Amino acid sequence: MDSTGTCWQDSPHGYGVVSRCLHWGMATLFAWQFVGAVLHAWDREAAVTRWFWSSHGSLGVMLLVLALLRGIWGLANSRRRPPADPNIWGRLSSAGHLALYALMVIVPFVAMLRTYGRGKGFAVFGVPVLEASGQEIPSLMAVGNALHGWTGWLMLALIAGHVAMVAVHQYVWRDGVAGRMLRRR
């Protein structure tokens, strides 16, 4: 527990249960999404690819909602969270996290624009969200086609950098930063 007596909220010493559940739950869903995307780029017709890919759109919407909730939760806890280092590494870390949050919203949003532009409708886990209009909107499809793929791969690169820096903190600098998200300190 932190000084306020609750383990749900963040503290200057570590992230609370809500932040950690959102972080690790989303990490799991992103892993699923990127495995599916790599398989889709490799062989779209393979059974395993179709199995992973069948949930891609629904999980993308779920990740968008979770990213927005995570952003709201982060803002609500901003004064309680562990402080960023004032050095260049801390500023780079803050910029990297901000870029990740932006991409967590941009990537699914442009995919939804493309889907809407196709006029075919869209269901999330079988629940209709967008009714089929039957009318294509080429400009919306163009935005989605131009941005969704490469911003998704950019997000994967930033996630890989994030994981690499966690390893540096844990095994090179041994500064305990990784423990903030792994467990309460």
Side-chain angles (χ1 to χ4, degrees), residues 76-162:
N77 279 270
S78 62
R79 295 187 191 268
R80 289 186 286 272
R81 289 188 151 196
D85 288 330
N87 60 25
I88 185 68
W89 293 109
R91 289 193 297 275
L92 286 172
S93 172
S94 294
H97 282 94
L98 184 60
L100 277 171
Y101 275 99
L103 288 170
M104 284 189 265
V105 173
I106 291 168
V107 172
F109 180 74
V110 296
M112 290 171 62
L113 282 179
R114 177 177 58 195
T115 299
Y116 181 74
R118 286 182 177 154
K120 295 182 181 178
F122 182 67
V124 177
F125 299 112
V127 177
V129 175
L130 295 174
E131 293 296 323
S133 68
Q135 296 179 352
E136 288 188 353
I137 305 170
S139 59
L140 293 182
M141 291 170 48
V143 169
N145 289 337
L147 295 177
H148 182 68
W150 80 263
T151 55
W153 294 118
L154 175 60
M155 183 166 44
L156 179 59
L158 285 175
I159 290 169
H162 176 72

Side-chain angles (χ1 to χ4, degrees), residues 22-23 26 66-75 101 104 181:
L22 285 168
H23 178 273
M26 290 178 72
L66 289 172
L68 294 172
L69 289 174
R70 189 171 174 188
I72 291 167
W73 182 256
L75 289 173
Y101 275 99
M104 284 189 265
M181 190 55 79

Side-chain angles (χ1 to χ4, degrees), residues 16-47:
V17 171
V18 174
S19 292
R20 287 184 285 131
C21 285
L22 285 168
H23 178 273
W24 292 109
M26 290 178 72
T28 302
L29 294 175
F30 277 119
W32 182 275
Q33 289 288 75
F34 286 117
V35 166
V38 167
L39 290 170
H40 189 74
W42 176 57
D43 182 1
R44 291 179 182 206
E45 301 305 318

